[in-house]
Amino acid sequence: MTNMLDQVFVLLKHRIVGLVPMPVQPILGAVLSVVAILAVFPGLFAISVLLERKGLGRMQNRIGPNRVGPLGVLQPVADGIKALIKEDLVPYSADHVVHFLAPVVLVVVVFMGYAVLPMGRNMTFVPMDAGLLFYFAMGASAELSIFMAGWSSRNKYSLLGAMRAVAQMISYEVPLLLSSVVIVMMTGSLSLDKIVEVQNQYTWGLPHWFVFTPMGFAAFVMFAIAATAETNRSPFDLPEGESELVAGYFTEYSGFKFAEFFLGEYVAMLSISGLGATLFLGGWSAPLEILNVVPSWFWFFAKIMVWICFYIWMRGTFPRLRQDQLMNFAWKFVLPMTLLNLLVAGLWRFMGEGWLRWVVCSAILLAAYVLGGRIGMRSKKFGPRSYRYAE
Amino acid sequence: MSPLSCYLLVAALLFAVGLAGALTRRNAILVLIGIELMLNAANLNLIAFWRYGPHPEALTGLMFAVFSIAVAAAEAAVGLGLVISIYRHLRTVDLDEISRMKG
Amino acid sequence: MVIFAILAPLTVAGGLAAVMLRNTVHCALAVAVAFAGLALLFLQLNAQFAGFAQILVYVGAVAILVVFAILLTRSSETPATGVFSKTWLTGLVIAAAVFAVLAWAVLGSRTALPHEQIEPQIAVAQIGYALMGRYVLPLEIVAVLLTASMIGAVIVAMYEKGGAK
């Protein structure tokens, strides 16, 4: 019974695909998977927008949207209708073709990333040998579309926002990749399915997730920071800093195209949470061995939603960084720490089994983080702000 | 025409296009773009020869292409750094105007 | 072959647009299209790793660098003096001659080439073993080269205090 429930989507797909003649079957299978991805993630997008608005409201001591539907749960629907029926304005001097292409490219590229994420047991759209590389290749292509949006709008705020976004994304992509390399070193594979399989083992009922190893935990922290910056979320949301840049690179977008950017942003957030969950939190594997009765896909989506709630919490808590602090933090703290982490992962590999490697690796990482953090806090570059003129 | 010669022709065309770009444009950045295109055409050649060659399992062509991608990235970074530095000194990136040897 | 017939013109068109368009930013975007087309051609040739690396490095990094350089050097406006150099005719003739020679060589050596081959199935792990085994020296040299070029690029492009005119 649990097995049936676990594989319910896979079986359903097989059943539907079996209805058509043989040559059409692979095409129909692909179409079904694409439709499923295109249906599920925008749905999750609506839920996370609602969660964010309600949760942020609570954190800021207000109620949040409460007019549409019971307790305001239909707010995303209302937002969607509003975005669709608004007039689509294009600035007179904008570069029309590029202006039109930018949101399309963004949404397409962001959705392509889902092709390699294992969303449950046997639930990867394209089980690719170089899945992780594919994911990062798609993530890197999103930068160009953001530049296209900012540049084609012929608006200085858009351009500034786009340049900030691109500079930030390119800087944080390096630690993002390097912190994932640790996991690749530990599994010896770039395939995300393989990475989940390695983590889906239990000792005394506890899972072998990479977040529970010293360098896995360090990589997880760095990955979470880099992922937040990569998706332009608060506290790294300078590209769309409302107080300075109106809305950043999508200032000149309205109606459906604006909705596309909004969707692209949240879907990218969901997908990078999915990647983080896959790499560090065991993907679809259950947190305890006895919880394996719950279907695997449930765990994957639960982990994504937990990650999203964490994002919302951070947004409600931290103040925004300054541009120079952001860059210094990326290049002078996160990057050296991820490089050290790679070294420690190599050490872990060569120290063999036993408790000694746990002690040594944890000690090195802890010492480095404490030392780096202390020195960093003391330097003016990314330490706490000092208000010289405020009394 | 065999598939290999198709790929080689495309690579040759791309190389010629890149060469034309590098030789005819005034903007230094576009000259760099032309050079990148030429490098890419060479990569396509390497991979096509690897795919249709007698020993694909030896990985030679593929490795060559991967290393060439890495080297091309270094080349682009240094080249664009130079262009920016030139712009700072001379306030132009027009190659027809940058004719002085004295900085 | 059908996919090749779509991808090859796309790639060449991207390259042509990159060298012919008047607006510099359009050129950069067109060259990104050409890079992406080439990556797809690599995939078509069973070189998955090289294709993804191509997208990651070229579309994700080189195209962005080019765009940054364009905006930092204020060359996004089309200059009044024209975009092609004074010696454009010579350049064009040289390029055409190079293409003619290459095409002649390719078409002439057709009989000497093997025709159909079994498709090589290369796992990424094999590439990894090759990189760490037989090709470890080139790998180290590339690592040194990349570090050196990174430092070099930073030093060359770094703001000089008072030195700039």
Side-chain angles (χ1 to χ4, degrees):
Chain A
M1 182 56 208
T2 50
N3 204 7
M4 267 288 283
L5 203 60
D6 187 28
Q7 295 294 303
V8 57
F9 296 118
V10 181
L11 292 174
L12 196 67
K13 186 180 156 190
H14 274 284
R15 186 67 56 82
I16 297 175
V17 167
L19 294 177
V20 296
M22 203 58 186
V24 200
Q25 278 187 5
I27 301 171
L28 184 69
V31 168
L32 277 179
S33 303
V34 170
V35 167
I37 288 174
L38 288 184
V40 168
F41 285 96
L44 278 181
F45 153 68
I47 294 172
S48 41
V49 169
L50 186 70
L51 252 177
E52 171 147 30
R53 294 185 65 174
K54 291 291 250 188
L56 272 185
R58 282 292 164 198
M59 279 178 212
Q60 294 160 355
N61 225 347
R62 55 192 173 82
I63 297 172
N66 65 345
R67 293 286 142 179
V68 195
L71 293 173
V73 289
L74 292 180
Q75 186 66 38
V77 181
D79 284 346
I81 293 170
K82 189 185 87 174
L84 285 181
I85 60 177
K86 267 200 172 178
E87 188 185 354
D88 180 21
L89 292 170
V90 180
Y92 177 70
S93 59
D95 195 310
H96 292 251
V97 181
V98 183
H99 192 265
F100 168 75
L101 277 178
V104 178
V105 173
L106 180 73
V107 169
V108 168
V109 161
V110 163
F111 270 108
M112 295 262 276
Y114 284 106
V116 290
L117 283 186
M119 299 171 198
R121 202 174 270 123
N122 307 328
M123 276 169 70
T124 315
F125 178 25
V126 190
M128 218 180 268
D129 203 22
L132 194 61
L133 199 63
F134 174 81
Y135 187 92
F136 284 127
M138 289 301 119
S141 321
E143 287 159 21
L144 206 60
S145 72
I146 285 175
F147 168 78
M148 281 160 73
W151 176 78
S152 67
S153 298
R154 289 279 195 285
N155 174 331
K156 62 183 167 198
Y157 297 117
S158 296
L159 189 58
L160 273 175
M163 294 321 271
R164 279 185 180 186
V166 170
Q168 169 179 341
M169 285 170 87
I170 231 169
S171 312
Y172 278 91
E173 201 173 273
V174 182
L176 193 77
L177 267 158
L178 285 178
S179 55
S180 316
V181 166
V182 172
I183 304 303
V184 175
M185 281 169 79
M186 286 161 83
T187 44
S189 173
L190 279 171
S191 149
L192 291 172
D193 301 272
K194 182 85 191 304
I195 288 173
V196 176
E197 252 166 55
V198 170
Q199 295 181 80
N200 192 23
Q201 298 163 358
Y202 298 88
T203 325
W204 309 322
L206 291 171
H208 283 205
W209 293 358
F210 286 131
V211 70
F212 298 132
T213 54
M215 61 281 167
F217 183 72
F220 171 70
V221 174
M222 290 301 145
F223 185 92
I225 293 172
T228 318
E230 192 72 9
T231 47
N232 300 333
R233 288 284 301 182
S234 180
F236 303 107
D237 62 343
L238 291 113
E240 45 207 76
E242 296 88 348
S243 47
E244 303 147 27
L245 294 178
V246 190
Y249 51 87
F250 49 79
T251 303
E252 293 292 357
Y253 281 88
S254 59
F256 186 60
K257 288 184 198 154
F258 176 78
E260 271 180 286
F261 272 109
F262 203 49
L263 176 80
E265 191 189 330
Y266 274 81
V267 168
M269 223 163 93
L270 287 163
S271 100
I272 210 150
S273 319
L275 183 73
T278 305
L279 289 178
F280 301 100
L281 303 177
W284 44 259
S285 74
L288 291 171
E289 195 166 17
I290 41 169
L291 287 176
N292 261 326
V293 289
V294 182
S296 55
W297 40 268
F298 172 79
W299 289 118
F300 180 77
F301 289 106
K303 282 167 190 170
I304 287 190
M305 286 329 275
V306 168
W307 199 300
I308 294 290
C309 292
F310 181 67
Y311 268 145
I312 295 167
W313 184 23
M314 282 217 287
R315 180 169 175 189
T317 312
F318 290 129
R320 186 180 291 149
L321 270 77
R322 233 170 29 215
Q323 186 71 28
D324 58 325
Q325 286 174 330
L326 180 95
M327 286 298 165
N328 280 321
F329 186 61
W331 292 103
K332 295 184 183 161
F333 185 78
V334 183
L335 185 62
M337 287 304 162
T338 45
L339 286 174
L340 180 80
N341 209 8
L342 281 184
L343 215 68
V344 173
L347 195 67
W348 172 274
R349 190 77 191 255
F350 287 109
M351 278 179 82
E353 296 287 323
W355 56 270
L356 189 66
R357 65 176 184 179
W358 285 82
V359 177
V360 172
C361 293
S362 312
I364 293 175
L365 284 172
L366 206 65
Y369 274 71
V370 170
L371 219 66
R374 278 289 167 87
I375 294 170
M377 285 303 259
R378 225 173 273 154
S379 88
K380 274 197 187 131
K381 295 265 170 61
F382 39 84
R385 293 180 201 195
S386 55
Y387 294 95
R388 265 177 293 172
Y389 305 112
E391 282 298 317
Chain B
M1 209 154 66
S2 72
L4 177 57
S5 22
C6 289
Y7 279 104
L8 294 184
L9 270 183
V10 169
L13 192 56
L14 213 57
F15 186 88
V17 167
L19 186 62
L23 291 178
T24 59
R25 296 301 295 241
R26 294 175 83 122
N27 192 321
I29 297 166
L30 289 167
V31 172
L32 265 174
I33 286 184
I35 293 170
E36 289 293 332
L37 272 177
M38 282 151 74
L39 276 168
N40 268 295
N43 278 353
L44 183 61
N45 255 356
L46 291 170
I47 289 188
F49 274 122
W50 165 75
R51 164 73 174 78
Y52 293 105
H55 298 293
E57 70 283 349
L59 292 176
T60 320
L62 189 61
M63 280 300 157
F64 210 128
V66 169
F67 282 121
S68 141
I69 289 174
V71 173
E75 175 255 320
V78 175
L80 292 171
L82 280 173
V83 169
I84 289 171
S85 170
I86 288 171
Y87 177 76
R88 194 175 296 133
H89 275 279
L90 304 173
R91 293 282 142 202
T92 180
V93 284
D94 191 328
L95 289 175
D96 284 1
E97 285 172 34
I98 306 170
S99 49
R100 288 184 301 160
M101 293 282 275
K102 206 168 145 219
Chain C
M1 223 49 220
V2 180
I3 301 175
F4 175 79
I6 299 166
L7 286 179
L10 177 83
T11 310
V12 174
L16 269 177
V19 297
M20 284 170 65
L21 287 176
R22 293 184 65 81
N23 190 322
T24 328
V25 176
H26 284 170
C27 292
L29 296 177
V31 88
V33 171
F35 290 153
L38 268 165
L40 292 174
L41 280 176
F42 290 176
L43 294 185
Q44 186 68 13
L45 284 167
N46 284 24
Q48 233 184 29
F49 185 81
F52 295 152
Q54 165 93 5
I55 295 184
L56 190 63
V57 171
Y58 278 101
V59 181
V62 171
I64 299 281
L65 268 182
V66 166
V67 155
F68 259 91
I70 288 172
L71 292 188
L72 284 176
T73 56
R74 290 173 194 277
S75 38
S76 57
E77 304 106 29
T78 314
T81 46
V83 292
F84 292 107
S85 102
K86 284 170 218 152
T87 52
W88 64 273
L89 198 63
T90 329
L92 208 62
V93 169
I94 292 174
V98 166
F99 176 67
V101 171
L102 286 175
W104 173 74
V106 168
L107 291 176
S109 67
R110 187 171 49 173
T111 46
L113 292 170
H115 278 261
E116 262 314 303
Q117 278 267 309
I118 32 127
E119 291 196 4
Q121 293 297 336
I122 298 297
V124 181
Q126 267 171 281
I127 298 177
Y129 284 122
L131 273 179
M132 285 295 148
R134 192 173 159 204
Y135 297 95
V136 71
L137 192 65
L139 184 74
E140 295 297 325
I141 293 172
V142 163
V144 173
L145 172 78
L146 283 175
T147 316
S149 70
M150 187 177 82
I151 297 170
V154 168
I155 288 175
V156 164
M158 201 159 55
Y159 182 69
E160 300 158 43
K161 279 202 180 96
K165 285 189 235 179

